[in-house]
Amino acid sequence: MRKTFVVLATTATLLASVLAPAASFASDYFYERERNNNRTTADRVSVPVTIFGERNDVDGENDEDFFVFKAPSSGIYEFDMRVGSETDQDLYLYDQTGEHQIAHSFKSKGRDEYFSVFLNEGREYYVKVKHISGNENYTLNIKS
């Protein structure tokens, strides 16, 4: 009985030590809310985050989704957006004023968007998803 307890306790400790680092990379989930079509109505998110975005039929071809976040630390951030095979959506990153573009990815229909960029701790950044064509939703991952 004592050997079984020692084996179980050791296994539990090892499992906890393996899983604990992964928890620091866990991401929040956020479901995009309309009317986030410009900087002033941007959805506020915390990084790391997985954003589930929908194409807004009301805005049609002019649909843009804005998100704002404050960088929790300085370093390289990855922006990875998955789109449907019949959809074209472009991805942009702007500085804290929302005026100056820092990075972008605009690939063709059915191709996922990606970029990585160095960001500074404590500064706010705006992310824009611009709908080009198609009716499918997107998933945007932002992580450091």
Side-chain angles (χ1 to χ4, degrees), residues 32-45:
E32 176 240 346
R33 295 184 293 255
E34 283 302 333
R35 304 279 317 157
N36 61 339
N37 293 338
N38 57 55
R39 280 190 342 250
T40 58
T41 60
D43 288 333
R44 183 164 293 282
V45 297

Side-chain angles (χ1 to χ4, degrees), residues 10-75:
T10 303
T11 303
T13 302
L14 288 172
L15 184 59
S17 68
V18 168
L19 294 178
S24 66
F25 296 105
S27 153
D28 286 332
Y29 296 103
F30 184 84
Y31 292 87
E32 176 240 346
R33 295 184 293 255
E34 283 302 333
R35 304 279 317 157
N36 61 339
N37 293 338
N38 57 55
R39 280 190 342 250
T40 58
T41 60
D43 288 333
R44 183 164 293 282
V45 297
S46 297
V47 173
V49 65
T50 297
I51 299 169
F52 298 101
E54 295 182 358
R55 182 182 175 292
N56 179 1
D57 288 330
V58 173
D59 294 321
E61 297 300 318
N62 298 317
D63 187 26
E64 295 181 340
D65 297 330
F66 279 81
F67 306 93
V68 62
F69 70 93
K70 186 178 282 192
S73 61
S74 293

